[in-house]
Amino acid sequence: SWSSSSFVQYLCGPDHKGVAPGPLPATGIPTVKVSEGFEQIVNHWRLGWPLHLQSLFSTEELHSWTPTSIAQKVPDFQVRLQHGYSEQQATHFEEQSFRRFMSNLDAPVSADTIRVPYLAEHFDTFYQSPEYIEQVEKLFVRALLPRHASLEGNRFLMPSPGNRSEPRVEVPDFLRGTAGLVWDAFWAGPAGARSGLHADPDPMNLLYQVYGTKTVTLFHPSEIDNLYVSEKLDSGATLSKVDPFIPNTTAFPKFARARKETVHLTAGDVLFVPTGWFHFVTGDTASISISGRLWSLCELTAFLPEAVWVYFEELGLVGEESTSHWVFYDKAVDYFSS
């Protein structure tokens, strides 16, 4: 992908190494307990390894993230629910009231339900709710950004190297003194909601678990030959042909050889997923998560060729089959026109 290519390194400098991870420790994906996670994440970004930040947020800090609280406080609007997981299944959507969906999130789902409804990767969920915009920002400044970074809407500004008034934080050179985009994606689903097997293009991609529990299964980039990359389009993400929940070992025999790493997330946990790591997700209970994505200006510029392709995809001009929830184009327009 463009985000891990030499083009990114050319634009962002030699400090931007892209994805070239070595083998994980024998214990698997590292897990740490800290009060702030940015420096730990940067260290693992350099290694190209995922990182599980355990209990970064307390129960008290997450009291606003229950389905009931969100349903009561966020103004109602129509949302597009995904039925099943469109990465491998045929894409199927349904329009529904946001408030109605959230109010019923904890309701049991029939065991024979093949396509569990899922509000997957929904952007700008809280644009009419200042309280939750503030809550999202509190999440971001504990892991996605250092506390002394400036965050205004979807735009961030890192301190310059010469600013000695700020606390010393290990920031990659290509991020020092730079600006860029940061945005959130909202995920909510009842027990059994799933995301299929895919790899995201985002240079800095964090999953904040704010309600319930879910299991994330990841594959090291070296396993890509065992994952059967698909041509199905998904807004910059790379999909697998293999349905990880019911794998067809006759059609995809090498998938059984792929080594997987499993992370169990509970409310208050954060997972950093580096570029190039394929993963799939299952909601063990009713679950709410927030994705935080950060793109520096040089990374945004390097991604533009792929962004043009994705825009054509959104218009239906390329690709026979597509599934997407993408907002990059709108965000970029908002940023550069402001």
Side-chain angles (χ1 to χ4, degrees):
S1 69
W2 283 96
S3 59
S4 61
S5 69
S6 57
F7 188 38
V8 175
Q9 294 183 47
Y10 172 75
L11 289 175
C12 300
D15 191 51
H16 197 294
K17 298 177 181 178
V19 177
L24 284 173
T27 52
I29 291 174
T31 299
V32 297
K33 284 189 175 182
V34 291
S35 59
E36 296 187 17
F38 180 77
E39 288 195 68
Q40 290 280 350
I41 287 168
V42 168
N43 291 338
H44 286 77
W45 171 84
R46 293 182 188 280
L47 293 169
W49 292 350
L51 177 65
H52 179 194
L53 295 168
Q54 204 169 44
S55 303
L56 186 65
F57 298 92
S58 67
T59 303
E60 292 75 19
E61 290 175 300
L62 299 175
H63 71 276
S64 295
W65 289 107
T66 65
T68 301
S69 178
I70 293 172
Q72 290 175 347
K73 296 178 180 179
V74 177
D76 198 17
F77 59 100
Q78 289 295 110
V79 293
R80 188 174 68 162
L81 299 180
Q82 170 183 298
H83 282 258
Y85 43 100
S86 55
E87 291 85 357
Q88 278 78 47
Q89 295 179 325
T91 304
H92 177 61
F93 296 105
E94 173 201 2
E95 295 287 326
Q96 192 178 121
S97 156
F98 175 75
R99 184 165 289 175
R100 176 185 172 192
F101 179 70
M102 295 304 298
S103 298
N104 294 318
L105 200 70
D106 281 310
V109 177
S110 174
D112 59 359
T113 300
I114 299 175
R115 290 178 171 271
V116 176
Y118 195 16
L119 183 53
E121 199 173 19
H122 189 269
F123 297 95
D124 290 332
T125 307
F126 306 118
Y127 74 100
Q128 289 184 323
S129 179
E131 176 184 345
Y132 279 94
I133 292 174
E134 182 179 346
Q135 292 294 327
V136 169
E137 290 178 352
K138 288 180 179 179
L139 298 178
F140 284 179
V141 297
R142 290 275 290 280
L144 186 64
L145 293 164
R147 281 191 180 273
H148 56 286
S150 172
L151 180 60
E152 181 181 346
N154 296 116
R155 297 180 291 277
F156 74 85
L157 177 64
M158 291 288 190
S160 63
N163 190 345
R164 297 184 179 181
S165 64
E166 303 293 357
R168 178 175 173 78
V169 176
E170 185 63 30
V171 176
D173 289 343
F174 76 93
L175 278 178
R176 290 189 182 278
T178 191
L181 288 178
V182 58
W183 59 80
D184 59 280
F186 183 76
W187 307 77
R194 295 168 168 176
S195 294
L197 186 54
H198 67 286
D200 296 307
D202 308 277
M204 195 69 78
N205 184 13
L206 272 61
L207 183 67
Y208 293 79
Q209 187 66 18
V210 295
Y211 180 81
T213 64
K214 64 175 38 172
T215 298
V216 184
T217 304
L218 303 100
F219 298 86
H220 192 284
S222 63
E223 299 290 346
I224 192 168
D225 289 341
N226 297 324
L227 302 182
Y228 298 91
V229 173
S230 170
E231 294 182 359
K232 186 176 182 180
L233 301 176
D234 189 17
S235 299
T238 304
L239 307 184
S240 170
K241 295 178 182 178
V242 184
D243 186 331
F245 303 104
I246 45 172
N248 185 335
T249 54
T250 301
F252 310 113
K254 292 192 292 183
F255 181 69
R257 307 177 200 165
R259 177 182 173 180
K260 58 188 178 183
E261 305 288 342
T262 302
V263 176
H264 299 286
L265 299 177
T266 61
D269 290 359
V270 179
L271 178 64
F272 165 54
V273 182
T275 308
W277 283 75
F278 276 77
H279 54 283
F280 63 93
V281 184
T282 302
D284 305 311
T285 66
S287 171
I288 300 173
S289 310
I290 305 291
S291 285
R293 282 85 178 263
L294 182 150
W295 291 71
S296 66
L297 286 183
C298 64
E299 288 166 331
L300 286 169
T301 304
F303 193 72
L304 282 176
E306 188 160 335
V308 172
W309 184 263
V310 171
Y311 186 52
F312 287 158
E313 169 194 334
E314 294 286 329
L315 294 175
L317 300 178
V318 297
E320 296 182 0
E321 189 175 10
S322 173
T323 172
S324 66
H325 326 280
W326 201 60
V327 75
F328 179 92
Y329 176 78
D330 291 335
K331 295 290 186 186
V333 169
D334 288 345
Y335 181 88
F336 288 110
S337 62
S338 63

